[in-house]
Each structure stands twice: as structure tokens, then as C-alpha cells.
Amino acid sequence: MQTKIVKITDENKKEVLEKAANIIKSGGLVVFPTETVYGLGANVFDEKALAKIFSAKGRPSDNPIIVHISDEDQLKELVDTVSEQQKKLINAFWPGPLTIVFEKKKEISDIVSGGLPTIAVRMPSNPIAHELIYLAGVPIAAPSANISGRPSGTTGEHIYDELTGKVDMIIDAGFSDIGVESTVLRINNEQVLILRPGAITKEMLEKILFPLAVIFAKDRRELQFSPGTKYRHYAPKAKLEIISEKMEKRAEVLKEKKLRIGIITTKQNKDSFEKYKPNVFVLGDRNNLEEISQKLYDALRFFDTHPVDIILCESFPKEGLGVAIMDRLDRASM
Ligand code: TXA
Ligand code: MG
């Protein structure tokens, strides 16, 4: 398949998005930017197009896909009922990086829901994503744009390598703002389960949903509601170790064993790792978790082109956005 790759600008935006919308309408695949990570999109009502998403990504068929909408009317095409709590969340956080799990309409394909009776929906705030969905006139089903098991793509370059030849078009808009995938949540029996942490944090959800309890889904029974979490994820090609203290010491020990070492560190600590250059990636300021999350997958992918035996990465406090950052790092190191 020939892949059309375009860097989107103010000048070509209208033309590019019209072409992309036409591809979606005629059953093709388009990679597009969102505020979290890039998505690999297809018309949610076109089963053939949905099947192509799974083959392009090498994705297991029981892993359901998030559906992206541009306005609340489109939600009615996907679900019959929206609860009071769900309404509160929509008012507070849409458009934005929050995915809500609803009971799905019967007509919605099992390919999207991975056979579950539910459907995960979000309304992205990225204006390019918004415009594309609007012009396509249909909700767009889109997993993250990456080969299954690899870190999500957060720049055009990440995606060229993996998906050229497998999709009809790639819209490159530079770095994603947030850099980690949306928060996914499900409300059941007066309990709010965070199935995947993201930029909408537990604290932000609690403020809106008080007095409802918000908890992170941890055990197997809870996570059966989010099949994606059982697969290996976000993995760089080399082994990854997350280090909470004395990273220099750990690096010394491994160096003595003649291992090639990669370092993921921050502005505050980078001077300690001069001798490991060029295999050093500086994420940004430790005290600015937005900066850290934005560069996280770029850091993991950096070592695809800087081959090492083991990557050591600084750890971050599991608070606020730090929960999502550490969730992805923990999974990448499994
Ligand atoms: O930020 C994001 O959410 C990005 C952008 C493109 O929007 N998308 C994304 O999609 O991360 P994906 O497919 O890589 O991850 C979707 C996650 C998986 O963990 C999947 O299991 C879960 O959402 N999910 C999808 N549908 C679900 C459902 N009906 N019930 C529970 N979890 C669901
Ligand atoms: Mg993904």
C-alpha cells in the first residue's frame, strides 16, 4: 500500500483534512494527531476498515478500540444511555484526554468492542483530530498508532518507521502535547475504576465525582474490564530497569560487566552520566511532569537507534501525572 505522508501546516490544513476525511469515508486508514498520542483511525461503522486496523498493528482481536467523537451528538450513535455521573465527567473533561466506558448500542460491531458489551469513547481536544472527525462525519475508531507492544507514537517520525506501507495516510503535526494515552475509566456499582491512568488524574476525577470513590483497577477481576492491560506494552527493544535511587552506582556495576548502558535521566541529574554519552536521553525537568510525559516514548524509542544492552531510567513520584508516567515505565520494564 502506498502511504501518503504529510506535514500539516496552516496553509495546507484544509486540503489535507479533506483528503484524510475522504479516506476515512471510503474505508481507509489515517494516522492523525491527538493531544495524547497519535491515533490509527478508521470509520467505526465499517467492519472491513476496522479489520485493517488490527492487521496494520498486529493487534490481538480481543483488545477493544477507543472511539473518537467530535461532538456530543455522535455519542448518541454509539450508546443508548448516559448516566448522571457520566454526564458530569463529560461536562468537566470533554474535549480532553478522558475515555469513558459505556454500555454500547447493539448495532456497534464486536470488532470495536473486542466482544465486550461496552464501548470506550473519548472526544479529543486536539483541533486537527476534531476537524478530521467532523469532516469524516462518523466517529473514528482509533488505537494508538504503533505496532502492538511498542511505545505509542508521539511524533511523525515514530510512525513512519512502523506504519509506512500499512496505512493510507499519515498526518504529521510534530510532538503530541501530553505524550501518554488518555485516562480510561468505567463506573460500576457506585464505584469508579481507573482502568488506565492518564493526564486526567484520580484527584481531578474525585473533585467532580465526590462522594463517589475513585480507585485504580489493580486485580485481575477488575482488569478483565480492560483487556488491553494484559498485554506487554510500551516496550523498547532493550531491557529497561527503573531505578529509584543510586542510579550511578547501578550503572557502574553494569559497566564493569561490560554491558552497553543507556540512561534516561532529567536535567537535575544529567551531569552524573556524562561518561555514558551518547547513550543518554534527558527527559526534561524532574519537577515538571508534563515535560517528562511528553518525551517519555521518545526516550524509549531513542534506544532503537542507540543500541544498548540495558536502559536505566530514573523513577518519578506516583502522584498526579506521575501515576501515568510510572504505569507506562513499569509496563515497559516487564
Ligand atoms: O489517548 C488515547 O487513548 C489514544 C489516542 C489515539 O486516543 N488511544 C489509545 O488506544 O491509547 P489503545 O487502543 O492503544 O488503548 C485503548 C485502551 C486499551 O487498554 C483497551 O483495552 C481499553 O482502552 N479499552 C478499549 N475499549 C474498552 C472497553 N470497551 N472497555 C474497557 N477498556 C477498553
Ligand atoms: Mg496502544
Side-chain angles (χ1 to χ4, degrees):
M1 182 191 297
Q2 184 104 26
T3 302
K4 195 174 177 56
I5 299 176
V6 264
K7 283 202 197 294
I8 197 160
T9 61
D10 281 342
E11 286 71 46
N12 70 9
K13 192 158 96 186
K14 189 164 175 286
E15 187 194 338
V16 169
L17 288 175
E18 270 165 12
K19 271 203 188 118
N22 282 330
I23 292 173
I24 297 283
K25 284 191 224 173
S26 54
L29 300 182
V30 175
V31 173
F32 63 98
T34 84
E35 68 279 21
T36 56
V37 301
Y38 279 78
L40 197 182
N43 175 357
V44 73
F45 301 123
D46 184 335
E47 289 209 328
K48 276 198 191 135
L50 294 172
K52 285 194 221 162
I53 293 181
F54 286 85
S55 49
K57 282 191 59 127
R59 183 177 175 104
S61 62
D62 67 345
N63 194 358
I65 302 179
I66 294 173
V67 182
H68 300 68
I69 58 176
S70 59
D71 56 69
E72 280 186 46
D73 278 345
Q74 280 184 333
L75 187 59
K76 299 194 189 107
E77 302 176 41
L78 304 169
V79 313
D80 289 317
T81 51
V82 178
S83 71
E84 280 310 308
Q85 311 291 3
Q86 287 166 335
K87 265 182 211 148
K88 277 193 198 169
L89 291 170
I90 290 171
N91 290 336
F93 300 113
W94 281 6
L98 178 70
T99 298
I100 305 173
V101 175
F102 298 88
E103 301 300 315
K104 75 173 174 86
K105 264 190 198 292
K106 274 199 219 65
E107 308 87 275
I108 304 296
S109 167
D110 275 343
I111 304 178
V112 182
S113 62
L116 295 172
T118 53
I119 185 167
V121 184
R122 87 176 188 95
M123 187 190 291
S125 61
N126 178 296
I128 297 169
H130 175 92
E131 189 69 10
L132 174 63
I133 303 163
Y134 174 77
L135 290 173
V138 288
I140 297 184
S144 53
N146 54 274
I147 296 294
S148 227
R150 296 267 298 143
S152 299
T154 50
T155 74
E157 286 79 24
H158 295 166
I159 289 148
Y160 307 157
D161 295 347
E162 284 181 18
L163 294 174
T164 301
K166 297 181 172 173
V167 298
D168 298 283
M169 186 174 191
I170 296 172
I171 303 175
D172 181 357
F175 263 105
S176 309
D177 280 343
I178 297 174
V180 294
E181 305 80 358
S182 61
T183 305
V184 179
L185 69 77
R186 178 189 162 101
I187 305 180
N188 60 328
N189 305 329
E190 299 306 296
Q191 205 180 353
V192 184
L193 281 180
I194 298 181
L195 302 173
R196 181 177 69 184
I200 303 296
T201 63
K202 180 171 183 282
E203 294 74 17
M204 291 160 80
L205 293 165
E206 277 168 343
K207 254 194 204 146
I208 300 299
L209 294 172
F210 183 83
L212 227 62
V214 180
I215 59 171
F216 291 110
K218 281 208 180 70
D219 68 34
R220 265 169 174 271
R221 201 189 56 79
E222 289 167 349
L223 284 174
Q224 76 191 356
F225 297 121
S226 190
T229 53
K230 72 176 182 244
Y231 296 106
R232 184 170 153 81
H233 262 104
Y234 319 117
K237 287 173 183 162
K239 189 173 163 0
L240 175 71
E241 249 182 60
I242 317 300
I243 311 283
S244 55
E245 52 185 18
K246 301 195 178 119
M247 194 154 101
E248 287 164 73
K249 276 224 175 104
R250 179 71 183 140
E252 283 299 329
V253 169
L254 294 170
K255 196 164 188 263
E256 269 162 33
K257 289 185 184 164
K258 303 268 180 287
L259 292 174
R260 291 171 306 167
I261 298 153
I263 299 286
I264 302 177
T265 183
T266 55
K267 270 185 201 150
Q268 281 82 349
N269 297 320
K270 69 177 192 331
D271 292 345
S272 311
F273 300 102
E274 281 291 318
K275 65 175 153 194
Y276 298 95
K277 275 184 176 171
N279 298 331
V280 177
F281 190 101
V282 181
L283 282 168
D285 184 336
R286 262 194 83 70
N287 299 320
N288 183 346
L289 292 180
E290 277 83 18
E291 219 173 284
I292 306 293
S293 77
Q294 193 191 34
K295 292 285 150 61
L296 194 65
Y297 292 148
D298 199 35
L300 297 179
R301 285 173 179 271
F302 174 80
F303 294 101
D304 293 348
T305 48
H306 293 72
V308 295
D309 299 306
I310 187 159
I311 306 165
L312 302 184
C313 176
E314 236 170 274
S315 79
F316 298 90
K318 288 186 183 171
E319 284 157 27
L321 185 55
V323 178
I325 293 170
M326 289 305 290
D327 170 74
R328 305 311 191 272
L329 284 175
D330 285 340
R331 285 176 199 283
S333 69
M334 283 192 319

